[in-house]
Every structure is written in C-alpha cells, then in structure tokens.
Amino acid sequence: MAKDFFVEVLSSNKSLYQGKSSEVVLPAYDGEVGVLADHGDFIGLLGTGALKIVTSGNDYWFMLSKGVYHIENGKLIILAEKGDASSAVDISLVNSRIPELEEKFKDLNVFSTPEYKNLKLEYDQLKAKQEVYKRTNVVN
C-alpha cells in the first residue's frame, strides 16, 4: 500500500485541495515534478499546467498557473497565482478561445513582448484547462 502525505493547494483567492495523497504530479517551471511520501525538502517554482493528485486510487485534476511549491517534513504546500478545479472548467469557452489565440499567433510580428507574454500565458492556461477537463470527464 502506498504511503500517504499531506497536500494543500491554494490559489490567490481560494483553497483548491487539502488532504492526504499518495502521489502528486505538478507542473514545475521547467517540466513536471512527481512527489511521493518521504520526498526530500524542496522549494520550487510552479509553471502552468495540470496538477494530478492521487488519493485512495482516485485521480483529482486541477489547472495551476505560476507560483511556488514547498515540500517540508512530509508536507507539500502549493501556492498558485491562478488555479481551477476540473469542475470549474467551461470547456466550450476553452475550446472556442484556443483557436482564436492560435490564429493570432500566426503573425508574431504584430505583438509587443508584454502582449505576447500575456496571450501565451492565457493560451497555456487554456490548454491546461482542456487537459484537466479531458482527464476528468473523457478518460474516466
């Protein structure tokens, strides 16, 4: 049986998850990070992507974007600037906005650097929402 550890996920305006988990896969700034019980203490930068929390054999999915995560004494705390549970994803809005952004990205010369960064972040967040929706509603 997998060993459990405490996990808390907070976004800027709400608590997304608090409880035990046997496994977490989180979107780090430079890829994905897997966390199991007895993971060494660590502080890292959060990226934008899908968060998977495994509890009692069930997977729970969230979209997270930017922030930090901290593992200390067998506890994982995730502080995200933006986060949504899969149940909060409006998939029709997500699926309509992604092609709009992809069309805009065809001509990168029309963007200023800050504008491009903001649209790219929105695009990455939408793709993560699409992924958590798919993992929760299509795969299961």
Side-chain angles (χ1 to χ4, degrees):
M1 179 175 204
K3 196 171 171 185
D4 287 343
F5 60 100
F6 180 80
V7 177
E8 185 170 15
V9 183
L10 304 166
S11 71
S12 60
N13 62 349
K14 62 190 167 231
S15 175
L16 294 172
Y17 180 87
Q18 185 174 357
K20 297 284 186 173
S21 177
S22 59
E23 174 187 355
V24 172
V25 179
L26 61 88
Y29 179 75
D30 57 353
E32 289 185 331
V33 170
V35 180
L36 299 171
D38 299 324
H39 193 291
D41 293 354
F42 192 82
I43 296 174
L45 291 175
L46 198 60
T48 297
L51 167 70
K52 174 184 170 184
I53 297 175
V54 180
T55 301
S56 301
N58 296 314
D59 295 353
Y60 298 93
W61 292 87
F62 303 86
M63 184 288 298
L64 297 180
S65 185
K66 299 172 76 176
V68 296
Y69 62 96
H70 179 229
I71 306 164
E72 185 176 28
N73 298 325
K75 295 180 182 179
L76 169 62
I77 308 296
I78 300 171
L79 305 170
E81 287 184 24
K82 186 170 187 178
D84 286 311
S86 60
S87 60
V89 174
D90 180 347
I91 197 63
S92 60
L93 179 64
V94 168
N95 287 338
S96 66
R97 183 68 176 141
I98 288 173
E100 291 173 14
L101 290 173
E102 288 172 342
E103 187 63 33
K104 285 184 177 188
F105 290 146
K106 287 183 179 179
D107 186 7
L108 296 178
N109 294 325
V110 301
F111 296 113
S112 66
T113 301
E115 182 182 20
Y116 174 77
K117 285 181 179 181
N118 290 336
L119 289 175
K120 176 68 167 93
L121 179 59
E122 179 187 357
Y123 179 78
D124 291 345
Q125 290 170 348
L126 290 168
K127 291 298 279 186
K129 286 181 180 185
Q130 193 176 53
E131 178 70 15
V132 300
Y133 180 87
K134 180 178 93 172
R135 295 287 185 169
T136 301
N137 297 293
V138 177
V139 175
N140 291 334

